[in-house]
């Protein structure tokens, strides 16, 4: 198989996988939309409990990580392997930073008794619990995707170090890049759904 | 492996897109200064849509992809649209 054909095959395979991911996250966003249409006031109250500043910073962190990933791909293809290596490390560190901020947010929700279940804040409506159930389900699954993405970025760093990813064999970088950018897109959609309502 | 000349590496366009994305995020965040209104969610989602389009076209390289790859990318959105239509039809007519 020639190089160009191989690159197209990798792209097609990744986009087929991402189409299933679109349906996966799309169904959750659809569930959010229907519940929000039914319980608008509770969802606005839930969104006001969010750390708006941290959510905004986290969105910026992910967007910058996507820039680093796109630049890493281009750098490696141009033969600037060392620069690509540094950009991949920056991508990974930004991803870790995102998860760190997310963990802090989860912790503050636990302290405020906003984790759905028996210890949920007393005197609040079940609809508010539904908002937080969707919040933890959707951002939790997103965080799980981030963790898998970080593993893939680490794999790329090792392969780049070993010299098995080269300017003429950079398809693994393209494949992981597609996944990373997709996960970024999911967060871009979650941000206005969870942090902006009611403000 | 023979490295290619440095001139092949261009970063300005991607950095420019990145700055555009951050400006769109700032615009989205600034809407909190306006009193709450139902249309604000639509504006927030529209800004998110523009950001996703920029990421898809430039970072995921759909602008330079083969036609078949673009069809695969569009297929995901198409199936999603079918699911959203069927679920909405049920919800709105129940």
């Amino acid at each position: 198989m020639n190089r160009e054909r191989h690159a197209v095959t990798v792209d097609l395979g990744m986009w087929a996988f991402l189409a299933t991911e679109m349906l996966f996250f799309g169904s959750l966003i659809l569930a959010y939309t229907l519940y929000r249409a039914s319980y608008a006031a509770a969802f606005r109250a839930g969104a006001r409990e969010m750390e708006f500043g941290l959510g905004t910073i986290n969105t910026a962190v992910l967007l910058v990580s996507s820039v680093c990933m796109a630049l890493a791909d281009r750098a490696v293809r141009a033969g600037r392997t060392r620069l690509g290596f540094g950009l991949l490390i920056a991508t990974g560190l930004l991803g870790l930073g995102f998860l760190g901020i997310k963990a802090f947010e989860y912790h503050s929700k636990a302290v405020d008794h906003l984790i759905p279940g028996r210890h949920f804040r007393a005197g609040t409506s079940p609809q508010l619990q539904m908002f937080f159930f969707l919040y933890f389900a959707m951002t939790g699954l997103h965080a799980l995707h981030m963790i898998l993405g970080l593993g893939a970025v680490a794999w790329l760093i090792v392969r780049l170090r070993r010299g098995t990813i080269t300017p003429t064999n950079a398809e693994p970088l393209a494949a992981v890049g597609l996944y990373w950018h997709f996960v970024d897109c999911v967060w871009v959609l979650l941000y206005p759904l969870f942090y902006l309502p009611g403000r | 492996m023979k490295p290619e000349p440095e001139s092949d590496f261009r970063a300005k366009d991607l950095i420019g897109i990145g700055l555009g994305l951050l400006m769109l995020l700032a615009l989205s965040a600034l809407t909190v200064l306006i009193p709450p209104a139902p249309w604000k969610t639509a504006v927030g989602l529209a800004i998110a849509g523009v950001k996703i389009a920029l990421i898809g076209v430039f970072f995921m390289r759909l602008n330079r992809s083969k036609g078949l790859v673009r069809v695969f990318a569009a297929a995901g959105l198409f199936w999603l649209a079918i699911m959203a239509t069927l679920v909405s039809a049920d919800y709105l007519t129940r």
Side-chain angles (χ1 to χ4, degrees):
Chain A
M1 192 186 285
N2 67 37
R3 199 49 72 186
E4 192 189 356
R5 241 182 165 181
H6 180 58
V8 172
T9 307
V10 169
D11 267 7
L12 284 179
M14 274 312 290
W15 275 109
F17 167 64
L18 294 181
T20 68
E21 291 278 85
M22 283 182 208
L23 290 171
F24 179 66
F25 280 105
S27 58
L28 287 166
I29 290 171
L30 208 51
Y32 168 96
T33 307
L34 297 186
Y35 278 113
R36 182 168 162 185
S38 301
Y39 311 123
F43 273 51
R44 279 196 300 275
R48 277 195 291 269
E49 297 281 349
M50 292 290 146
E51 285 90 350
F52 170 72
L54 289 180
T56 307
I57 290 168
N58 243 359
T59 310
V61 166
L62 264 199
L63 290 174
V64 175
S65 83
S66 255
V67 176
C68 290
M69 177 58 95
L71 286 172
D73 182 273
R74 198 177 272 184
V76 170
R77 285 174 200 275
R80 302 276 300 271
T81 308
R82 190 173 282 190
L83 177 63
F85 186 76
L87 285 163
L88 277 178
I89 287 177
T91 305
L93 289 176
L94 287 163
L96 280 174
F98 174 91
L99 288 175
I101 292 172
K102 200 81 227 130
F104 179 80
E105 279 191 82
Y106 280 1
H107 177 257
S108 74
K109 291 287 158 291
V111 170
D112 292 341
H113 296 280
L114 289 171
I115 295 179
R118 279 196 304 153
H119 302 291
F120 196 77
R121 188 185 289 170
T124 52
S125 67
Q127 290 82 6
L128 188 67
Q129 281 210 55
M130 178 52 79
F131 173 85
F132 279 100
F133 171 76
L134 287 167
Y135 166 73
F136 281 107
M138 291 162 80
T139 60
L141 284 168
H142 176 266
L144 185 65
H145 279 73
M146 284 291 299
I147 292 166
L148 294 174
L150 280 172
V153 168
W155 173 70
L156 287 180
I157 290 169
V158 170
R159 285 197 61 177
L160 204 57
R161 190 90 176 155
R162 286 183 182 158
T164 56
I165 292 176
T166 62
T168 53
N169 178 33
E171 274 71 43
L173 200 51
V176 174
L178 281 176
Y179 177 81
W180 191 266
H181 298 311
F182 174 81
V183 175
D184 187 6
C185 287
V186 171
W187 182 261
V188 163
L189 261 181
L190 296 186
Y191 172 71
L193 295 181
F194 287 111
Y195 291 88
L196 297 183
R199 290 180 197 276
Chain B
M1 180 184 80
K2 188 186 173 200
E4 291 178 26
E6 286 189 14
S7 58
D8 279 352
F9 176 69
R10 293 171 294 103
K12 273 187 187 167
D13 56 339
L14 292 179
I15 291 171
I17 300 292
L19 288 174
L21 287 168
L22 290 175
M23 282 167 67
L24 284 168
L25 170 64
L27 183 67
S28 198
L30 284 173
T31 60
V32 300
L33 298 176
I34 305 167
W39 55 266
K40 279 175 67 179
T41 298
V43 170
L45 287 173
I47 293 172
V50 175
K51 280 192 273 189
I52 289 169
L54 285 172
I55 293 168
V57 170
F58 296 102
F59 291 173
M60 298 168 96
R61 292 172 288 112
L62 283 173
N63 57 338
R64 288 185 285 129
S65 297
K66 297 257 183 220
L68 189 59
V69 174
R70 291 180 193 172
V71 168
F72 267 53
L77 293 175
F78 180 67
W79 291 117
L80 198 56
I82 290 174
M83 180 170 70
T85 306
L86 292 176
V87 172
S88 305
D90 175 62
Y91 180 79
L92 295 171
T93 57
R94 189 166 284 194

